[in-house]
Amino acid sequence: MKHIPAIELKHLTKRFGKIVANEDISLSIREGEILAILGENGSGKTTLMNMISGIYYPDEGEILVHGEPVSIRSPRDAYPLGIGMIHQHFKLVDVLTAAENIVLGLPGRQRLDMAAVATKINQLTHRYGFELDPFKKVYEMSVSEKQTVEIVKMLYRGAKILILDEPTAVLTPQETHRLFDVLRNMRADGNAIVIITHKLNEVLELSDRVAVLRKGRYIGSVDTASASIASLTEMMVGKRVELNIVRSEPKQLKRRLAVKDVSCVNPEGVITLNHVSFTLDGGEILGIAGVAGSGQRELLETIAGLTKAESGEIDYFPPNHEPQELTKLSAVEINRLGVRLSFVPEDRLGMGLVGPMDMVDNMMIRSYKRGGHFWVDRKAPRSLAEKIIRDLEVVTPGVGTPVGKLSGGNVQKVLVGREIASNPIVLMVAYPVRGLDIHSSHTIYRLLDEQKRNGVAVLCVGEDLDVLLALCDRILVMCDGRVTGIVDARTATKEQIGMLMMRTEGSGKP
């Protein structure tokens, strides 16, 4: 007897105006397997999954669930079919508890028996190996706990086909391993699981099969056991790609930043930076490693003038000028001094770019204050936008498309390209390749090394220790707001950095 797939896609096509996001795609998702969907940024991965989950409706083709043709016009149509999607950006109400979020929107009586709801949630979490307090408020949760709420919300609604979009993008290595254990338990229970990810090492570790998309078309699928990083990359890109990270030797180092005993406290009174000290030279890349929430973001924001330091001093050494103390200045005042600190934040659309504006307008954010006329100059920003599209292979209909309509990876390319093009003296980047495919990631690595060779001082917060060890010259390790060590990236090991990430007292010298 022929086994019927959990989902079968037949000749699916989806267009947005003149752009064909998915073209004539046919593939199947089996019960009791973990299928990874791979592809470069803008290849149509999320669009395809959005059609399965009811967010988009296909222009052509059909979807079969357990062999039966279905019409999925909204997520409400997907739930009864056992389909649930966990998005990269969580859709939870912060002031509600986990249990309240899980049952929110379900039909039923006005007064719910929350004790019975909690009992059912506990049964689900115990069955699959989750850890979740049903009565904990969402705003009190870590990122991994919020993700657990999203997954349990789908299971509570009866989902047996789960789609996860970049599920490990903001998780620590320990949280990632726990999630993988849970997904394996769900697979063993007969669930069909689809993950969209760019992390090829995780694909090889977790999935059973890999389906590859390229420029909106389905290229094929392979069993993970017979795949490698090189073979998967070649399928995604269409050619053999050199994946070595180039690290040039530092030359003629010149001091650019000196951070001295800096401490910060957030509005809730929590210490986010605790007597942090280090130096940064032009012509080097200093990596910052640490478990998420260890103070990396606060450190970059303090240097950029976005957050005030409670104590300590930050000195900037511009070329051919006297040092300037930045500690007590705002971001605007720092800019007026001519101090060029380029900052790529973690929140690309929240802090770095304006979603409804097109690429040209987002380029102008960096330069419009330099104009002195009523009419702004759009010619130079347009040229820059077109150059970024060419150099970084941004997938977009054109420079007039709102940035918020681009895929997450292409948004990241626009942001990084704009910051590098501003010719910074100090370039600070936080997770610059988060959400990027492996080909695009290596393009960014080469750009960062090129900036270093041009004498720029590069400060890079990263989550992949292998990349930090291969790309950086030194690595500063943070834990609980403290600097626990600064190591030579050429001689350090992942184990050594891992130990420093778990310490609470500083032990390394700047």
Side-chain angles (χ1 to χ4, degrees):
M1 180 178 175
K2 185 177 180 181
H3 184 72
I4 298 175
I7 292 183
E8 190 173 1
L9 311 179
K10 291 187 175 182
H11 308 291
L12 248 59
T13 295
K14 181 63 182 176
R15 302 180 185 89
F16 297 97
K18 296 180 180 179
I19 300 300
V20 181
N22 293 132
E23 183 177 1
D24 194 31
I25 293 181
S26 298
L27 64 87
S28 62
I29 303 166
R30 305 165 186 163
E31 292 182 346
E33 81 162 349
I34 298 176
L35 174 70
I37 304 290
L38 282 181
E40 292 189 276
N41 298 116
S43 61
K45 304 181 297 297
T46 302
T47 299
L48 183 64
M49 294 302 106
N50 281 340
M51 284 192 282
I52 296 175
S53 62
I55 295 174
Y56 296 146
Y57 190 78
D59 297 319
E60 298 173 16
E62 63 177 342
I63 301 173
L64 284 73
V65 177
H66 300 299
E68 296 294 326
V70 296
S71 177
I72 308 175
R73 294 184 174 272
S74 75
R76 284 186 177 274
D77 294 334
Y79 293 148
L81 297 171
I83 301 170
M85 183 167 179
I86 294 87
H87 297 270
Q88 193 173 351
H89 302 289
F90 305 138
K91 303 178 185 302
L92 301 172
V93 181
D94 282 352
V95 296
L96 299 183
T97 64
E100 289 166 342
N101 270 281
I102 287 168
V103 299
L104 189 64
L106 289 177
R109 296 176 300 173
Q110 287 186 331
R111 288 185 64 85
L112 290 172
D113 183 354
M114 294 308 295
V117 171
T119 298
K120 184 175 178 181
I121 291 172
N122 288 331
Q123 290 171 347
L124 285 170
T125 55
H126 178 73
R127 180 176 180 178
Y128 294 117
F130 291 107
E131 293 180 6
L132 180 65
D133 178 359
F135 299 107
K136 190 173 183 178
K137 300 280 189 181
V138 169
Y139 67 79
E140 298 175 325
M141 294 181 179
S142 66
V143 173
S144 64
E145 288 176 306
K146 293 177 183 178
Q147 186 181 67
T148 297
V149 175
E150 289 280 24
I151 295 174
V152 174
K153 183 167 69 174
M154 295 298 118
L155 295 173
Y156 193 95
R157 285 161 166 74
K160 294 289 288 182
I161 303 165
L162 282 172
I163 304 165
L164 294 91
D165 190 358
E166 298 287 352
T168 66
V170 292
L171 300 184
T172 66
Q174 297 90 337
E175 291 168 340
T176 296
H177 289 314
R178 285 199 296 270
L179 174 64
F180 284 3
D181 288 339
V182 168
L183 294 180
R184 292 186 184 104
N185 291 338
M186 294 171 66
R187 174 183 61 188
D189 200 39
N191 292 281
I193 299 169
V194 182
I195 59 169
I196 305 172
T197 183
H198 291 111
K199 300 180 179 181
L200 297 187
N201 57 330
E202 294 181 357
V203 169
L204 295 174
E205 178 184 350
L206 178 66
S207 68
D208 302 297
R209 196 163 53 97
V210 185
V212 179
L213 301 184
R214 188 195 309 153
K215 297 181 179 179
R217 298 185 67 91
Y218 173 56
I219 300 303
S221 63
V222 294
D223 292 334
T224 307
S226 61
S228 65
I229 288 179
S231 67
L232 292 176
T233 303
E234 190 169 347
M235 284 185 71
M236 285 194 297
V237 180
K239 60 183 178 181
R240 189 172 295 277
V241 178
E242 180 58 53
L243 297 178
N244 293 329
I245 296 177
V246 176
R247 175 172 52 197
S248 58
E249 289 296 321
K251 295 179 180 179
Q252 298 179 335
L253 297 177
K254 295 181 180 179
R255 185 60 39 86
R256 289 291 175 251
L257 279 182
V259 178
K260 304 172 184 176
D261 211 30
V262 169
S263 294
C264 287
V265 179
N266 68 14
E268 288 75 37
V270 177
I271 297 174
T272 55
L273 294 179
N274 198 341
H275 300 285
V276 171
S277 297
F278 67 93
T279 60
L280 175 65
D281 293 338
E284 76 164 344
I285 299 179
L286 175 63
I288 300 181
V291 176
S294 294
Q296 304 97 313
R297 175 174 178 165
E298 290 80 3
L299 176 59
L300 267 61
E301 290 182 355
T302 302
I303 296 172
L306 301 174
T307 299
K308 283 289 185 183
E310 288 288 313
S311 61
E313 183 177 321
I314 302 173
D315 292 326
Y316 168 68
F317 301 83
N320 307 317
H321 289 85
E322 292 298 314
Q324 297 276 358
E325 183 181 347
L326 307 183
T327 314
K328 299 179 181 179
L329 303 180
S330 67
V332 173
E333 290 169 327
I334 291 173
N335 184 62
R336 286 174 181 163
L337 281 173
V339 177
R340 291 174 286 176
L341 297 177
S342 293
F343 181 51
V344 179
E346 297 170 83
D347 185 359
R348 298 176 291 217
L349 286 176
M351 290 179 62
L353 299 169
V354 181
M357 290 167 52
D358 62 25
M359 281 186 65
V360 176
D361 288 338
N362 272 286
M363 297 303 112
M364 290 173 62
I365 290 174
R366 274 293 189 195
S367 60
Y368 78 96
K369 287 187 177 180
R370 291 198 288 268
H373 305 285
F374 180 79
W375 300 106
V376 295
D377 175 23
R378 294 178 62 85
K379 185 175 181 181
R382 175 177 286 274
S383 296
L384 175 57
E386 292 170 346
K387 183 177 187 299
I388 290 172
I389 290 174
R390 288 194 308 271
D391 293 351
L392 298 185
E393 299 176 0
V394 177
V395 179
T396 175
V399 294
T401 301
V403 168
K405 291 188 175 181
L406 304 183
S407 70
N410 284 296
V411 169
Q412 185 79 337
K413 290 180 184 180
V414 172
L415 180 55
V416 174
R418 185 193 69 187
E419 297 307 298
I420 289 177
S422 67
N423 297 318
I425 303 300
V426 175
L427 175 64
M428 298 189 293
V429 291
Y431 311 110
V433 300
R434 176 178 285 172
L436 294 187
D437 57 73
I438 192 167
H439 184 211
S440 300
S441 296
H442 280 72
T443 299
I444 298 300
Y445 300 149
R446 287 192 289 273
L447 285 173
L448 292 177
D449 191 74
E450 181 181 332
Q451 291 297 299
K452 164 189 163 180
R453 286 186 274 113
N454 290 338
V456 176
V458 181
L459 193 61
C460 178
V461 178
E463 54 195 349
D464 190 326
L465 294 184
D466 290 315
V467 169
L468 289 179
L469 287 167
L471 178 68
C472 302
D473 301 293
R474 294 184 297 147
I475 298 175
L476 179 150
V477 187
M478 298 188 70
C479 179
D480 198 23
R482 292 179 178 269
V483 176
T484 55
I486 300 178
V487 300
D488 186 334
R490 289 170 173 77
T491 59
T493 64
K494 287 174 63 176
E495 291 73 22
Q496 179 186 0
I497 295 174
M499 290 295 293
L500 290 171
M501 287 169 63
M502 302 306 294
R503 291 188 187 177
T504 57
E505 296 295 330
S507 60
K509 296 184 180 299

